[in-house]
Amino acid sequence: MATNVATNPRTGETSPNPFNFQTQVISTTPVKSSLLSDPPPVLPASLPIPTVKEAWKSMNKDQRMRLYWSLSHLAIAVFIFFRSEGSLAATALSHLVFFDAGSAAVCVAVDVLGNFEVWRRSSIRHPFGLERAEVLAGFAMSIFLLFGGFDLVSHNLKHFLESIGHHEAHHKHSHEPRPGGSVDLVSATAIISTLASAYGLKNHARIAKVMRVSYLASLPSVLSNPFHLLTLSFSTLVAVLPLFSIELYTWLDRLICAVISLAMFGLGMRIAIAQGLMLLMSYGGSSGDVRISSVIQDIESELSIASVDEVQFWQVHYGLCMANLKVSVQKGSDEVAISRLRSRITSLVQNRLGEGYGTSGNTRWEVSLQLMVDGGS
């Protein structure tokens, strides 16, 4: 065994060194661990929201054409409103066209904002991007339908009371039937603008999917949308009004106005509920609970599953739904069996809830599973 010695720098004498010190080199580089080979994604605090000028510069030719058409659709709605002075039904129809124009404008805004990263990318300030702003816009459109329905009801009721009283002569100049050509022009303009927005912008398409009106699914693509069906149907009825006598024209005019107002109120309520559930981070609809119950039953029927402890289904926006499940598996399940079970549950949720609902759209389901061994962790 070697003995360490120390040298006195003044005398040059050497003496045994009782300490076994050796020079060590300390590295300043961080220690790498194999456990951190896949670091979690880092979310930015926030992303820049585009200004109007930036949005305009980002638009391509097709998006500019869509913008010009949405402005034209709004002008058409104003034109129909002023040309429908002598017909309550035509006035009600103008409310529907205004709703169509607003929806077309929302479609253009969504298309343009999709050019920017902030629309889809998550950040701390906007965990799901800005796509939830489209849901808020849809909720605002539902409020417009509700108020429009109330306005038409009050307007129609006012003229009905005037007709049975002694004030009809005073308002006769503003409510006598208009010439047939004027009504035909209003109806034709409404039909053409509705079809153009339906095929060109596909307005109402995402809102209609949220409403899940199953009894219209068998109709052609345009008519399967309740909003397009409503506008096109009543435009046709308004066009044939001049064919009737003046007395029958008056009653049919008021009846069509009343039906349109009730339809606007009913659709507005349905949209408000659907959008409200989405804003509250819930998942609903006319058949939402039934479909979710069916999915849970199928999951519980798996032989390797002991119980389904917690289930949460919720929709973030039109393009994203999420399912969070906590499942207990039987003891003795190995990692391969658990991995296969995870894949089966994920596929079951995505295929069952995505069928019909996500067709011809961009809606996707993200499934988060927590698998626990029964009686343990």
Side-chain angles (χ1 to χ4, degrees):
M1 179 176 180
T3 303
N4 294 334
V5 295
T7 302
N8 192 320
R10 291 182 298 175
T11 63
E13 298 179 353
T14 60
S15 60
N17 188 359
F19 302 102
N20 188 21
F21 288 148
Q22 295 181 3
T23 303
Q24 301 289 333
V25 179
I26 300 177
S27 175
T28 58
T29 60
V31 178
K32 296 184 178 179
S33 173
S34 60
L35 297 178
L36 299 178
S37 58
D38 296 321
V42 179
L43 294 180
S46 62
L47 292 170
I49 298 178
T51 62
V52 176
K53 185 177 181 180
E54 292 172 341
W56 175 262
K57 289 183 177 180
S58 72
M59 295 171 64
N60 54 39
K61 183 179 179 180
D62 181 66
Q63 290 172 339
R64 290 182 190 273
M65 292 299 297
R66 288 169 175 259
L67 175 62
Y68 297 148
W69 168 249
S70 65
L71 296 177
S72 300
H73 201 166
L74 180 61
I76 290 173
V78 175
F79 168 78
I80 293 176
F81 177 77
F82 284 106
R83 290 298 294 254
S84 60
E85 183 182 357
S87 172
L88 293 175
T91 302
L93 180 62
S94 68
H95 285 61
L96 292 178
V97 180
F98 268 114
F99 176 75
D100 289 341
S103 181
V106 171
C107 290
V108 174
V110 168
D111 193 21
V112 174
L113 288 174
N115 298 336
F116 298 90
E117 192 179 23
V118 68
W119 182 250
R120 291 183 177 87
R121 186 181 175 186
S122 300
S123 64
I124 297 177
R125 184 174 183 181
H126 302 287
F128 303 103
L130 282 182
E131 288 192 69
R132 280 177 63 83
E134 185 182 2
V135 181
L136 189 61
F139 187 79
M141 297 297 293
S142 68
I143 301 301
F144 171 81
L145 279 179
L146 290 174
F147 275 97
F150 278 121
D151 177 68
L152 291 175
V153 168
S154 62
H155 198 62
N156 201 10
L157 182 61
K158 172 185 176 182
H159 294 299
F160 174 75
L161 294 177
E162 289 178 349
S163 65
I164 62 177
H166 302 284
H167 305 283
E168 184 175 4
H170 179 70
H171 297 278
K172 185 177 179 180
H173 64 279
S174 60
H175 300 292
E176 59 186 8
R178 302 284 294 181
S182 177
V183 176
D184 291 340
L185 180 60
V186 165
S187 302
T189 306
I191 292 174
I192 293 174
S193 61
T194 300
L195 291 175
S197 288
Y199 284 107
L201 297 179
K202 299 186 183 301
N203 59 333
H204 307 312
R206 290 155 76 86
I207 297 179
K209 281 189 176 65
V210 174
M211 294 175 62
R212 303 181 183 94
V213 186
S214 57
Y215 52 84
L216 298 179
S218 59
L219 296 176
S221 58
V222 175
L223 298 181
S224 61
N225 189 312
F227 305 100
H228 299 324
L229 178 63
L230 192 66
T231 304
L232 295 174
S233 300
F234 287 113
S235 297
T236 305
L237 289 178
V238 171
V240 301
L241 274 180
L243 301 178
F244 298 97
S245 62
I246 295 180
E247 183 177 356
L248 187 58
Y249 174 100
T250 303
W251 283 102
L252 287 176
D253 186 61
R254 293 169 181 167
L255 178 61
I256 293 175
C257 178
V259 174
I260 292 178
S261 62
L262 292 177
M264 291 179 64
F265 182 79
L267 287 178
M269 283 294 296
R270 190 159 183 171
I271 299 176
I273 293 174
Q275 305 282 10
L277 289 174
M278 202 182 304
L279 290 174
L280 294 175
M281 306 290 277
S282 178
Y283 180 77
S286 57
S287 59
D289 295 338
V290 177
R291 298 164 69 190
I292 289 176
S293 300
S294 176
V295 169
I296 295 175
Q297 290 176 1
D298 289 343
I299 294 175
E300 291 175 338
S301 65
E302 293 283 344
L303 297 179
S304 57
I305 291 182
S307 63
V308 178
D309 301 325
E310 296 180 10
V311 176
Q312 291 181 344
F313 289 82
W314 43 296
Q315 185 169 6
V316 180
H317 48 71
Y318 296 117
L320 177 63
C321 295
M322 302 190 72
N324 302 329
L325 300 95
K326 182 179 180 181
V327 178
S328 297
V329 298
Q330 300 286 354
K331 291 183 178 179
S333 301
D334 55 13
E335 294 184 1
V336 176
I338 291 178
S339 178
R340 291 176 179 175
L341 179 62
R342 183 185 299 273
S343 299
R344 285 200 300 271
I345 294 176
T346 301
S347 299
L348 178 63
V349 172
Q350 292 175 343
N351 295 333
R352 184 70 61 81
L353 297 180
E355 183 181 358
Y357 176 68
T359 303
S360 31
N362 297 322
T363 306
R364 69 184 188 277
W365 276 89
E366 291 186 0
V367 182
S368 175
L369 288 174
Q370 183 180 2
L371 299 179
M372 312 287 292
V373 179
D374 190 24
S377 58

